[in-house]
Amino acid sequence: MQSVRLSDSRSLTATLLPDSFIEEVMPRANGDFVKIYIYLLSTHHHPERELSLSSIADVFSCTEKDVLRALIYWSNEGYLSMEMEGDRPVSLTFCDPARPSANKKPETTAAVSPTPETTEAKGEAKEDVSISLSADRIRTLKAENAEVQQILYVAESYLNRTLSRSDITCILYFYDTLHMSADLLEYLIEYCVLHQKTSIHYIQKVGLEWHRAGYTTVKEAKEGSSSLRKEYFSILKAFGISNRRPIPAEIEYMDRWMNTYAFELPIITEACKRTVTNTGGSSFAYAEGILSNWKKQNVHTLRDIQQEDSRHQAEKKKKSFADKEAGKQPAPNRFHNFHQRDDYDYDQLEKDLLNKQW
């Protein structure tokens, strides 16, 4: 087989990775986690670069929770040491996993600027679980456990794709670490597919929610999930909708606002109230426009919204003042277009009016 020779004539700054990382660690890690880790390594050469959960999330078009999950994963693997303030990382230290980080001098420290954001409820904070399983354990389960083989076969059939390493790791983590039964695992995948959600991130989210809720049987999961998320009904209430369940199209919008945009409920309900005020109805598409715009503006709290409103009002006043200074006049209406006649015979009009009264 013809080999390919590689050479490098660049004079650019380079980010180095150990061969052991590429050969042993990278294949079993989530691809997004690897991207974030390499990006962090490169920041050592760019001290001027802003580094925060928000800025990293913007680079990779993901949520801050996704970034935090990656940091927790690499911390558990021993490649990062994190200093936290509350639930926010404020510094990251790159470590050599072969040696305990406490016994070595930090090589490179990347400062992470905390961003203003409402603190998550305790139940939601537990979602940041490191989903990992050693390559040896995965090989053993796949080779020796017929139940695991059946689960993976069913998953592939439902998802209609060849399972990736991330898919397999997540599914077997639920089975081997969280001790989720084969029946419950199969129903979990079926449930997500029925809701037209086939990404492993969504399956992971639902699976962790079920685990925290204590579901151990398919019956418990069906009874629990049939009640739907309480947040759905809070959002419907903000739209002025009551006495009915959300339809699939509405659920898709609400899932995007809560999961993809990672907005807290008060932000979403504020958008719903503004939608009703501005349109007189419950337009999910209109609310989507508001929330997608807030996402682009990095809105995280109600205070951020107030500041954005103030900025918008200030710009409007500034434009109005500029128009006035430029001599622009309001568009004429029908009353401005009325020309008064100056040739009326008022004595004759008075006589005609008196004659009509008699």
Side-chain angles (χ1 to χ4, degrees):
M1 179 177 179
Q2 182 67 37
S3 61
V4 177
R5 183 172 60 87
L6 295 177
S7 60
D8 194 344
S9 61
R10 298 174 302 169
S11 59
L12 300 176
T13 301
T15 298
L16 301 179
L17 286 172
D19 290 344
S20 59
F21 180 90
I22 297 173
E23 295 169 0
E24 300 171 12
V25 179
M26 196 166 67
R28 72 170 185 265
N30 179 293
D32 293 332
F33 292 177
V34 173
K35 292 178 185 177
I36 290 172
Y37 180 73
I38 295 175
Y39 177 78
L40 291 174
L41 286 176
S42 73
T43 60
H44 178 45
H45 309 299
H46 303 279
E48 78 286 352
R49 182 183 292 170
E50 178 195 355
L51 192 63
S52 66
L53 292 184
S54 177
S55 67
I56 299 172
D58 288 342
V59 170
F60 293 99
S61 299
C62 63
T63 68
E64 293 183 16
K65 290 182 180 179
D66 293 330
V67 176
L68 189 56
R69 289 191 191 99
L71 300 182
I72 291 172
Y73 174 82
W74 292 117
S75 177
N76 291 338
E77 290 288 311
Y79 283 86
L80 283 179
S81 175
M82 288 197 296
E83 181 183 342
M84 306 286 288
E85 282 187 4
D87 60 351
R88 314 288 296 181
V90 292
S91 72
L92 304 173
T93 302
F94 296 110
C95 304
D96 182 351
R99 289 175 287 168
S101 58
N103 296 330
K104 68 185 292 292
K105 184 178 180 180
E107 296 174 353
T108 306
T109 300
V112 180
S113 307
T115 55
E117 189 174 45
T118 53
T119 303
E120 295 182 36
K122 292 182 179 179
E124 294 178 342
K126 292 181 181 178
E127 184 185 356
D128 294 317
V129 176
S130 175
I131 304 295
S132 62
L133 211 59
S134 71
D136 288 340
R137 183 57 181 164
I138 291 176
R139 280 194 293 268
T140 300
L141 288 170
K142 291 173 66 177
E144 301 177 2
N145 192 315
E147 196 171 51
V148 165
Q149 296 168 7
Q150 176 65 20
I151 292 171
L152 296 179
Y153 172 76
V154 170
E156 236 174 32
S157 300
Y158 270 124
L159 300 176
N160 194 29
R161 67 169 184 262
T162 301
L163 297 181
S164 67
R165 184 179 293 270
S166 296
D167 296 334
I168 295 172
T169 299
C170 180
I171 293 169
L172 296 190
Y173 174 85
F174 285 152
Y175 178 83
D176 192 54
T177 304
L178 300 186
H179 307 294
M180 190 175 285
S181 70
D183 288 343
L184 185 57
L185 254 176
E186 291 177 11
Y187 177 68
L188 167 64
I189 298 167
E190 176 188 349
Y191 173 88
C192 294
V193 171
L194 287 175
H195 284 77
Q196 299 182 338
K197 305 290 184 179
T198 59
S199 76
I200 197 60
H201 297 294
Y202 186 84
I203 295 170
Q204 173 183 316
K205 178 180 176 62
V206 176
L208 290 175
E209 287 178 350
W210 288 6
H211 177 69
R212 287 196 297 270
Y215 301 157
T216 58
T217 66
V218 173
K219 181 181 179 181
E220 291 173 349
K222 285 183 176 180
E223 291 174 350
S225 58
S226 65
S227 61
L228 297 179
R229 297 178 61 174
K230 62 181 180 181
E231 290 91 343
Y232 291 159
F233 295 97
S234 298
I235 295 171
L236 290 181
K237 183 178 179 181
F239 272 129
I241 300 173
S242 59
N243 300 323
R244 73 166 176 82
R245 297 162 66 90
I247 61 176
E250 293 169 345
I251 290 176
E252 184 176 352
Y253 273 117
M254 292 186 284
D255 282 345
R256 178 160 58 250
W257 300 339
M258 291 184 285
N259 301 333
T260 305
Y261 296 169
F263 279 133
E264 299 291 340
L265 191 58
I267 302 291
I268 298 173
T269 55
E270 177 63 19
C272 297
K273 292 173 183 177
R274 293 185 180 213
T275 296
V276 173
T277 300
N278 294 338
T279 68
S282 55
S283 171
F284 279 75
Y286 192 95
E288 165 66 17
I290 295 175
L291 289 166
S292 63
N293 188 49
W294 284 350
K295 177 66 176 175
K296 293 176 184 176
Q297 295 166 346
N298 292 319
V299 166
H300 299 290
T301 67
L302 291 175
R303 184 178 179 182
D304 291 342
I305 296 174
Q306 292 171 354
Q307 292 175 344
E308 190 62 27
D309 288 345
S310 298
R311 184 190 63 78
H312 181 67
Q313 290 300 322
E315 288 181 353
K316 284 181 63 177
K317 289 182 180 179
K318 184 178 179 180
K319 184 178 184 302
S320 177
F321 180 79
D323 290 345
K324 186 176 181 181
E325 287 292 305
K328 291 183 179 180
Q329 298 297 326
N333 57 31
R334 62 190 180 92
F335 297 104
H336 292 137
N337 292 334
F338 176 75
H339 297 286
Q340 182 175 336
R341 290 181 57 183
D342 296 327
D343 56 349
Y344 286 120
D345 185 341
Y346 290 99
D347 291 335
Q348 185 61 45
L349 287 173
E350 183 178 2
K351 290 179 182 179
D352 292 342
L353 179 61
L354 289 173
N355 290 334
K356 286 181 180 180
Q357 290 177 344
W358 292 97

